[in-house]
Amino acid sequence: MGRRPRRDLLAGLTVAIVALPLALGFGISSGMGAEAGLATAVVAGTLAALFGGSGLQVSGPTGAMTVVLVPIMHAHGASGVLMVGVLAGLLLIALALGRAGKYMALVPAPVVEGFTIGIACVIGLQQIPAALGVATPAGDKVTAVAWHAVQDFLAQPRWWALGIALTVAALMLVGARWRPALPFSLLAVAAATLATELADLPVARIGQLPAGLPAPSLAFLDPAALSSLLAPAVAVAALAALESLLSAAVADGMSVNHKHDPDRELFGQGLANLLTPLFGGVPATGAIARTAVNVRSGAQSRLAALAHAGILAVIVFSAAGLVARIPLAALAGVLLATSVRMVEVGSVKAMIRSTRGDAVVLALTALATLALDLVQAVILGLIVAGALALRAIARDVRLDAMPIHPDLPGDHTEQEHALLAEHIVAYRLDGPLFFAAAHRFLLELSEVAAVSVVILRMSRVTTLDASGALVLGDAIQRLQRRGVTVYISGIRDGHHQPLHALGVIARLDQAGHVFATTPQAIAAARDRLQQTGVLPASSHTNTAADPAITPR
């Protein structure tokens, strides 16, 4: 599994120490219980490590997934969460077989950053009831639940729970700056548990845990509920794909020569989510924080992630009684500190200063994550980012008037040049001509001053869609209704199809007004002006063959 198994085993032990309180906390936060978090860390962690596309990725329950699972648990119960996990696993496998992994890299950085900020806020708010020592109020809106928890606390304060949560969170945050290599999360939880036991403090504990994983079972399957669970399963699958591939990319960036396979990673995560519910586990994803710890601890192969899952399994089988005594407030403190550490303040400031569009996308995605749900927030962020990108691209399209005389040989008189410039105008279309830019192009071209001939040079049009082609046709018709003769030159090979399919240049083609090069179009325009008497007949060099003329 690796050239240095000792380093991998040590890295696995380090990650397991960090992962234990997180697995317990996220299991409880999801509503499925601490045992579900442990089962997920063991089963999903093993399967994703074996079959995933990253040799450094560590998978398990995550805060982002917990945020999605809470409303599913509230609406459909534990069986609904387990069924959603199975369906999401099937969807992830389908994405892997469809080779969709590469498309996840297209998510813009401001969307990811805003998404992370929103998740951090939601995770922090989810911990308010446990940190205050009150029962979690009913509801699936995290802000409303947190507010009701505060009201319950004010009615009957429970200072011991609040003190434990804040102390654990403070120890983690200060310790991470003082000695980043030490697992302060586990040390703080252990200290809080010991103090609680010695002083017999009146705070809620995790409670009894099974001494081992449950036997695999499909008893939760309910075919009648499939239709109502499909939409939540799509949301879970989308989140699992996004977070797992983002985490794998982070691992690549932290290592020297490691590169993950995105499609295989989707397959591994799909298999993990398909089988984990059979053991009572919740949907899992690649975990960015645990993966980062794994890489920093010297992991070189999959053995480290497998060791992490194995160590957690040993804890489940041998130390369930000790784990049961951990105060819920201590785990709330761990997750509060985790939510704070999720936000990279320097990165957020840099992105806000980058461009106004990036700042808008980041803020909107963060607010939508907090107010709506994660998948809707990502979709909204993608839509806004895409609209801003299209706006920026549309601004690149230009309609530039080009002088006529550089395209003519040098044996013409200044008078003829002046007459040509007076009656012929050549415009070069530069950039993408598609739906986002078409309207502005139409307005500009329709304002062309009164001339006899307009030559449209299209060799620099980079993109042409149906909307752009139709607008081009509309502009040509407007010019022709004003008595202006239109010639087109330099159409790219890939642009002929939409222009012909939509009938944009059919009449121009029949009339012989479409040319491969601009000099040919200028020669035709000059001949027409001579025939109509605008220009005097004179001998001239064939511009189409002159090497000094720019061809397009």
Side-chain angles (χ1 to χ4, degrees):
M1 298 292 291
R3 290 176 293 180
R4 286 185 168 179
R6 173 185 266 180
R7 293 188 63 177
D8 282 326
L9 293 173
L10 183 59
L13 174 62
T14 305
V15 177
I17 292 172
V18 173
L20 176 60
L22 294 175
L24 295 170
F26 288 137
I28 293 170
S29 294
S30 70
M32 293 287 288
E35 61 274 17
L38 285 173
T40 305
V42 173
V43 179
T46 300
L47 293 171
L50 284 173
F51 299 100
S54 172
L56 304 176
Q57 176 101 285
V58 177
S59 299
T62 64
M65 187 60 73
T66 299
V67 173
V68 176
L69 295 180
V70 168
I72 298 175
M73 181 70 181
H74 186 264
H76 303 284
S79 61
V81 172
L82 298 177
M83 282 189 64
V84 162
V86 172
L87 293 173
L90 293 173
L91 290 172
L92 286 168
I93 292 174
L95 288 174
L97 295 177
R99 300 194 174 279
K102 58 182 177 291
Y103 297 110
M104 293 299 169
L106 301 179
V107 179
V111 175
V112 175
E113 200 70 49
F115 172 77
T116 304
I117 294 172
I119 290 172
C121 293
V122 174
I123 292 173
L125 289 171
Q126 283 180 339
Q127 309 317 310
I128 297 299
L132 297 178
V134 302
T136 303
D140 58 352
K141 295 297 182 183
V142 66
T143 49
V145 170
W147 173 245
H148 290 309
V150 171
Q151 290 179 317
D152 292 343
F153 173 80
L154 294 176
Q156 189 176 355
R158 296 168 176 84
W159 298 109
W160 284 117
L162 180 59
I164 290 171
L166 294 179
T167 300
V168 169
L171 283 173
M172 284 185 60
L173 294 174
V174 174
R177 289 180 172 273
W178 178 52
R179 289 286 190 274
L182 292 178
F184 277 96
S185 59
L186 186 64
L187 294 176
V189 169
T193 304
L194 183 61
T196 301
E197 289 296 306
L198 292 176
D200 194 22
L201 299 180
V203 295
R205 270 77 162 182
I206 288 178
Q208 190 62 38
L209 292 174
L213 296 175
S217 171
L218 290 172
F220 59 86
L221 288 181
D222 180 11
L226 283 176
S227 59
S228 62
L229 293 174
L230 187 58
V234 171
V236 168
L239 177 59
L242 177 64
E243 190 172 12
S244 297
L245 293 179
L246 177 61
S247 177
V250 169
D252 290 351
M254 295 178 65
S255 60
V256 177
N257 53 11
H258 181 272
K259 185 172 178 60
H260 74 282
D261 180 339
D263 295 319
R264 183 178 172 184
E265 181 62 28
L266 288 179
F267 179 81
Q269 295 294 336
L271 192 62
N273 280 286
L274 180 64
L275 297 180
T276 298
L278 276 63
F279 297 88
V282 298
T285 73
I288 296 177
R290 275 156 274 177
T291 298
V293 170
N294 193 40
V295 178
R296 283 198 297 262
S297 300
Q300 294 181 321
S301 74
R302 301 172 188 272
L303 180 59
L306 285 170
H308 136 271
I311 293 167
L312 290 177
V314 171
I315 294 173
V316 171
F317 281 101
S318 63
L322 292 175
V323 173
R325 303 306 299 168
I326 295 175
L328 294 178
L331 294 179
V334 170
L335 299 186
L336 283 171
T338 301
S339 66
V340 172
R341 293 173 61 182
M342 285 176 66
V343 181
E344 296 286 346
V345 177
S347 175
V348 173
K349 286 182 177 179
M351 203 160 293
I352 290 176
R353 289 195 299 263
S354 173
T355 66
R356 184 179 299 176
D358 288 341
V360 168
V361 171
L362 186 150
L364 188 62
T365 306
L367 291 173
T369 302
L370 191 59
L372 304 173
D373 66 52
L374 301 191
V375 176
Q376 289 178 342
V378 171
I379 292 174
L380 182 61
L382 288 174
I383 291 174
V384 175
L388 292 174
L390 286 176
R391 181 187 177 196
I393 294 172
R395 287 178 173 176
D396 287 342
V397 66
R398 298 195 307 274
L399 187 67
D400 298 327
M402 306 302 296
I404 292 296
H405 60 83
D407 291 327
L408 294 175
D411 61 348
H412 288 268
T413 64
E414 292 184 6
Q415 181 181 9
E416 183 170 311
H417 281 307
L419 287 171
L420 286 170
E422 182 180 346
H423 294 281
I424 302 175
V425 60
Y427 283 97
R428 185 175 67 199
L429 284 65
D430 200 337
L433 184 59
F434 67 131
F435 69 93
H439 181 67
R440 185 164 63 89
F441 163 77
L442 174 62
L443 293 178
E444 289 186 27
L445 193 56
S446 298
E447 293 174 358
V448 172
V451 293
S452 301
V453 177
V454 167
I455 299 173
L456 300 179
R457 304 174 62 175
M458 297 187 60
S459 62
R460 295 194 182 182
V461 174
T462 56
T463 302
L464 180 69
D465 68 355
S467 298
L470 289 173
V471 166
L472 177 64
D474 191 12
I476 291 171
Q477 290 180 4
R478 293 190 184 196
L479 291 171
Q480 289 174 332
R481 283 197 294 267
R482 287 162 46 192
V484 177
T485 302
V486 179
Y487 294 92
I488 293 181
S489 69
I491 300 174
R492 292 188 174 186
D493 292 339
H495 297 164
H496 282 280
Q497 182 176 350
L499 292 173
H500 282 288
L502 297 169
V504 173
I505 60 171
R507 292 185 180 179
L508 293 181
D509 215 358
Q510 292 174 357
H513 290 185
V514 179
F515 299 92
T517 66
T518 300
Q520 292 173 341
I522 293 175
R526 182 175 46 209
D527 290 341
R528 177 176 180 79
L529 293 177
Q530 289 175 346
Q531 292 171 5
T532 57
V534 175
L535 289 178
S538 63
S539 61
H540 57 267
T541 307
N542 185 359
T543 60
D546 194 299
I549 302 174
T550 303
R552 293 177 182 269

